[in-house]
């Protein structure tokens, strides 16, 4: 028995998406998103070193050597950062290109006979995953599917078991340390899982798609949710939707599958960025506009209160004089007067504005607040 | 190859001279702009910009009727790299998503989109598509004199603008709030500095490729930072380090078969960074270790009579 190849591809990518969402949520919250970029590039060194040591390109030795390389990348980055000679961002940018270069030189000099296509490794050829199979009992299953299923199970188990510790270490590392939760161990466990998952995903979907799955869905989910567990779930859903839709697009336009999936994730993020209910660009723009209006209406009531019963009340409460006195545009003045009247705080007699009882009370409480 | 033979080739061999010159120019331009990226804690901007350039290269290639004219492709690359940096800025300024994730989003989605375009171009079998690959992995060996001229012109433009706005950029790097309080248009200056970075990154793409561009930009600055506390001196040293690494990388890859130029340059840069970390003036790790040992010895020798210094002495 074997699985349909389209289904296999979508399943593999969905598993990468779920793993990516689980790990990526913590990376995005801990401001370490670019470590996924660093790890997935320095894996080239892991592949080269692994081949030179084990003389094989089998899954298990590759997972070991590349997973170790991922940890090496994280440790070297921290070592460089801890010298305090450069900042953290620079440490990342110095370490992974060095390892990548070393990997490329090792491959071209000592292993040019092996087939490591850096191009395919970068973007992945998920399209081939259904044809590289292993036999499990009566089933002939894609190797990548088995690898990713195991990795996803490990990731989910880690998150479920250590959820409380991860949460605390992410949001308040100092408290976590004070309570004896060893945030350092949690950190390295997370990085180790990221490295191993990157290797598994690297083989199936390539580095760029892996980075896309780790960073983009959690970032979109960050704009849609306010709590940690919904953020992980929403990120996973976005990742899976991105794989399914991206795959269909790739079939229709006959282009790179991994590329189409990342592109779809990008489109989802862009829509979220613009339209997210509370944290999107549109929502922010509306909120600022409403605040501006609210402030202007309040200012108008206080202006009227200040001059109420004074000799200059006549001119100060004239609608025509407001643009000059409050430095407002004519259109804006009209809008604000209309809003203030709609709220029942002021009344208008011809050109004259006066406070209602409610408006006077509001302005007084505002003045108390200001003083 | 002997040193004398090498020098003779550097002067008389057209191919080697062109490659070395191109790499050196690239090192100089990136060294200067990298100093600002490093100080502004935007070291990874080189990574996101270089990835974000890919869709622009492909679109320019398609629009210009499958051209291989490097300038048109560079303009396409610069526009999409620039758009990527603007998008990252919009994300960080308007949402709670931090800079690292914003850079990652731009990097992955732009590159993915570019790769879709690249796969479309390749499957439509445009005869001239082979030239696009070098924007992914870089290919110094394919540099010709026209490329070097383009690199030279763009580098000079970028460095001239950098020099013209030096004082403003200096303030931007150290105290952006102060710059804004003086009435300078901070956001616009940031955009200008990023645009200059886009130019040098895009120029470097065809030599070292997408992945290694980040090191080309900041490694010279990270080395230079260890030798001085003055910005002008740091930029000077950074340009020198960049140029030296460019030359070393180009020469090594010419001498040793099977050693691609980009990785060779980056490994040369890494060696210089490690040397600078170890021996850099005052800050160097070796001096620190020696100082710590001397202090410990002094303390042990004096026992309880050890001179006690208050903080700040």
């Amino acid at each position: 028995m074997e699985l349909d190849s389209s289904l296999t591809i979508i399943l593999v990518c969905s598993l990468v998406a779920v793993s990516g969402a689980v790990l990526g949520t913590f990376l995005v919250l801990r401001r370490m998103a670019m470590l996924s970029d660093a790890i997935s590039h320095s894996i080239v060194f892991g592949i080269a070193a692994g081949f030179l040591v084990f003389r094989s390109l089998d899954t298990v030795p590759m997972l070991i050597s590349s997973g170790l390389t991922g940890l090496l990348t994280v440790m070297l980055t921290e070592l460089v950062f801890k010298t305090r000679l450069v900042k953290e961002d620079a440490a990342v940018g110095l370490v992974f290109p060095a390892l990548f270069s070393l990997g490329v030189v090792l491959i071209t000099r000592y292993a040019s006979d092996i087939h490591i296509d850096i191009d395919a490794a970068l973007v992945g050829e998920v399209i081939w995953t259904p044809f590289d199979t292993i036999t499990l009992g009566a089933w002939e299953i894609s190797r990548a599917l088995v690898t990713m299923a195991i990795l996803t199970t490990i990731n989910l188990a880690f998150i479920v078991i250590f959820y409380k510790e991860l949460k605390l270490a992410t949001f308040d590392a100092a408290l976590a340390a004070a309570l004896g939760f060893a945030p350092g161990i949690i950190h390295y466990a997370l990085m180790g899982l990221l490295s191993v998952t990157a290797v598994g995903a690297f083989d199936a979907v390539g580095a760029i798609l892996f980075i896309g799955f780790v960073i983009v869905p959690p970032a979109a989910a960050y704009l849609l949710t306010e709590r940690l567990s919904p953020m992980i779930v929403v990120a996973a859903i976005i990742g899976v939707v991105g794989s399914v839709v991206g795959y269909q697009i790739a079939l229709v336009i006959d282009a790179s599958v991994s590329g189409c999936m990342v592109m779809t994730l990008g489109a989802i993020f862009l829509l979220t960025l613009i339209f997210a209910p509370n944290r999107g660009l549109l929502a922010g723009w509306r909120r600022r506009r409403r605040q501006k209006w609210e402030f202007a209406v309040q200012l108008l009531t206080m202006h009227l209160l200040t001059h109420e019963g004074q000799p200059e009340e006549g001119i100060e409460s004239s609608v025509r004089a407001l643009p000059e006195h409050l430095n407002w545009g004519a259109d804006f003045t009209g809008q604000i007067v209309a809003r203030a009247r709609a709220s029942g705080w002021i009344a208008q007699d011809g050109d004259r504005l006066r406070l209602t009882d409610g408006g006077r009370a509001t302005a007084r409480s505002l003045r108390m607040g200001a003083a | 190859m002997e040193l004398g033979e090498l020098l003779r080739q550097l002067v008389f061999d057209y191919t080697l001279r062109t490659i070395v010159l191109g790499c050196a120019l690239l090192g100089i331009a990136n060294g200067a702009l990298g100093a600002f990226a490093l100080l502004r804690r935007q070291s990874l901007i080189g990574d996101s910009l270089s990835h974000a350039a890919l869709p622009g290269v492909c679109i320019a290639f398609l629009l210009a009727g499958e051209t291989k004219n490097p300038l048109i492709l560079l303009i396409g690359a610069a526009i999409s790299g620039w758009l990527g940096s603007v998008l990252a800025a919009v994300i960080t300024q308007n949402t709670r998503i931090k800079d690292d994730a914003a850079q990652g989003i731009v990097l992955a989605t732009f590159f993915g989109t570019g790769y879709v375009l690249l796969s479309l171009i390749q499957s439509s079998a445009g005869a001239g598509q082979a030239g696009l690959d070098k924007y992914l992995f870089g290919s110094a060996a394919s540099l010709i004199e026209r490329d070097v001229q383009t690199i030279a012109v763009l580098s000079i433009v970028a460095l001239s603008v950098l020099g013209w706005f030096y004082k403003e950029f200096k303030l931007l790097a150290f105290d952006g709030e102060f710059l804004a309080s003086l009435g300078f248009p901070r956001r616009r200056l940031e955009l200008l500095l990023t645009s200059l970075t886009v130019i040098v990154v895009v120029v470097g793409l065809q030599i070292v490729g997408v992945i290694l561009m980040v090191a080309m930009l900041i490694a010279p600055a990270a080395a230079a930072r260890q030798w001085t506390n003055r910005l002008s001196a740091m930029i000077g040293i950074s340009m020198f380090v960049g140029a030296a690494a460019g030359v070393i990388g180009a020469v090594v890859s010419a001498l040793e078969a099977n050693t691609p130029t980009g990785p060779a340059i980056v490994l040369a840069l890494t060696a210089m960074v490690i040397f600078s970390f170890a021996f850099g003036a005052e800050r160097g790790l070796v001096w620190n270790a020696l100082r710590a040992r001397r202090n410990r010895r002094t303390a042990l020798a004096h026992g309880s009579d050890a001179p006690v210094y208050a903080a700040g002495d």
Side-chain angles (χ1 to χ4, degrees), chain A residues 169-226:
Chain A
T170 300
F171 291 107
D172 194 342
L175 180 63
L179 293 176
F181 276 135
I185 293 177
I186 292 280
H187 172 70
Y188 272 103
L190 197 62
M191 290 301 128
L193 281 179
L194 182 72
S195 308
V196 178
T197 312
V199 186
F202 190 72
D203 197 26
V205 302
I208 291 295
L209 184 52
F210 178 67
I211 299 168
F213 274 131
V214 168
I215 303 180
V216 182
Y222 197 28
L223 299 179
L224 292 169
T225 57
E226 299 297 326

Side-chain angles (χ1 to χ4, degrees), chain A residues 27-28 30-34 37 41 80 83-87 89-94 96-102 104-105 108-109 112 118-120 122-125 208 211-212 215-216 219-227 253-256 258-263 265-267 269-270 273 279-281 288, chain B residues 37-38 40-44 47-48 51 87 90-91 94-105 107-120 122-123 133 136-137 210-212 214-215 218-220 222 225-226 256-260 262-264 266-267 270 273 276-278 283-285 288:
Chain A
L27 289 188
V28 167
R30 290 161 159 251
R31 306 187 186 185
M32 302 191 304
M34 289 304 270
D37 179 47
H41 284 328
V80 171
T83 62
R84 299 185 175 214
L85 295 176
V86 286
K87 300 287 183 296
D89 58 327
V92 175
L94 290 172
F96 87 79
L99 286 174
F100 182 85
S101 299
L102 211 52
V104 171
V105 170
T108 51
R109 287 181 72 90
S112 53
I118 301 176
D119 188 13
L122 250 188
V123 191
E125 273 314 332
I208 291 295
I211 299 168
I215 303 180
V216 182
Y222 197 28
L223 299 179
L224 292 169
T225 57
E226 299 297 326
R227 296 185 49 238
I253 66 174
D254 190 22
S256 153
S258 309
C260 285
M261 288 181 180
V262 195
M263 203 171 73
L265 291 178
F269 177 79
L270 201 60
L273 177 67
R279 300 191 173 274
L281 295 182
R288 276 192 298 278
Chain B
L38 186 88
R40 297 180 64 216
R41 303 190 186 185
Q42 291 205 323
S43 297
L44 295 173
D47 205 31
S48 57
H51 284 79
L87 180 64
V90 166
I91 293 171
N94 292 286
T95 73
R96 56 177 175 173
I97 295 173
K98 300 297 179 299
D99 192 53
D100 62 318
Q103 305 267 18
I105 291 165
L107 177 155
T109 58
F110 273 60
F111 190 81
T113 309
Y115 203 79
V116 168
L117 293 171
L118 197 60
S119 69
L120 288 176
Q122 277 166 348
S123 66
D133 265 14
L136 280 183
F137 302 108
V210 164
I211 297 164
L212 298 179
V214 55
I218 60 149
R225 178 68 190 90
Q226 313 313 325
E256 302 279 327
N258 282 339
T259 306
V266 171
L267 289 179
T270 306
V273 169
S276 305
F277 276 18
R283 295 157 57 98
L285 297 175
N288 267 344

Side-chain angles (χ1 to χ4, degrees), chain A residues 6-21 126 205 209 212-213 217 235-251 256-266 268:
Chain A
S6 292
L7 189 63
T8 305
I9 291 174
I10 288 179
L11 272 179
V12 168
C13 291
S14 299
L15 288 173
V16 179
V18 171
S19 290
V126 69
V205 302
L209 184 52
F213 274 131
I237 293 172
I238 291 175
V240 173
V241 170
S243 349
V244 175
V245 175
Y247 183 67
Q248 302 303 328
I249 294 176
L251 288 186
S256 153
V257 173
S258 309
C260 285
M261 288 181 180
V262 195
M263 203 171 73
T264 311
L265 291 178
I268 295 175

Side-chain angles (χ1 to χ4, degrees), chain A residues 117-370:
Chain A
D117 188 350
I118 301 176
D119 188 13
L122 250 188
V123 191
E125 273 314 332
V126 69
I127 202 86
W128 300 116
T129 51
F131 306 109
D132 181 8
T133 58
I134 55 173
T135 312
L136 284 181
W139 287 71
E140 199 175 319
I141 302 181
S142 152
R143 200 163 50 89
L145 186 58
V146 175
T147 313
M148 279 318 301
I150 295 171
L151 289 173
T152 308
T153 311
I154 296 175
N155 283 326
L156 286 175
F158 176 72
I159 299 299
V160 170
I161 296 171
F162 295 105
Y163 185 74
K164 192 176 55 196
E165 287 82 357
L166 274 167
K167 193 173 177 179
L168 194 59
T170 300
F171 291 107
D172 194 342
L175 180 63
L179 293 176
F181 276 135
I185 293 177
I186 292 280
H187 172 70
Y188 272 103
L190 197 62
M191 290 301 128
L193 281 179
L194 182 72
S195 308
V196 178
T197 312
V199 186
F202 190 72
D203 197 26
V205 302
I208 291 295
L209 184 52
F210 178 67
I211 299 168
F213 274 131
V214 168
I215 303 180
V216 182
Y222 197 28
L223 299 179
L224 292 169
T225 57
E226 299 297 326
R227 296 185 49 238
L228 181 59
S229 46
M231 182 174 162
I232 298 175
V233 174
V234 171
I237 293 172
I238 291 175
V240 173
V241 170
S243 349
V244 175
V245 175
Y247 183 67
Q248 302 303 328
I249 294 176
L251 288 186
V252 172
I253 66 174
D254 190 22
S256 153
V257 173
S258 309
C260 285
M261 288 181 180
V262 195
M263 203 171 73
T264 311
L265 291 178
I268 295 175
F269 177 79
L270 201 60
L271 290 176
T272 312
L273 177 67
I274 297 172
F275 297 108
N278 292 314
R279 300 191 173 274
L281 295 182
L282 269 183
W285 177 71
R286 282 211 200 98
R287 190 166 47 239
R288 276 192 298 278
R289 201 178 50 167
R290 199 177 54 236
Q291 282 167 348
K292 189 175 157 193
W293 281 339
E294 275 170 13
F295 176 75
V297 168
Q298 291 173 354
L299 185 70
L300 179 60
T301 61
M302 288 177 73
H303 174 74
L304 292 175
L305 179 68
T306 305
H307 299 293
E308 200 167 50
Q310 303 294 322
E312 74 280 7
E313 188 182 1
I315 178 71
E316 293 292 348
S317 63
S318 151
V319 175
R320 258 175 303 167
L322 282 181
E324 188 191 332
H325 289 191
L326 293 178
N327 199 13
W328 286 350
D331 289 347
F332 187 71
T333 308
Q335 282 173 19
I336 295 307
V337 169
R339 273 170 190 275
R341 284 176 61 188
S343 63
W345 287 349
I346 63 171
Q348 186 170 6
D349 311 319
D351 185 44
R352 291 278 304 276
L353 297 175
R354 63 182 167 74
L355 287 168
T356 62
D357 291 340
R360 196 170 296 113
T362 307
R364 283 213 176 101
S365 70
L366 283 169
R367 190 153 66 181
M368 295 287 287

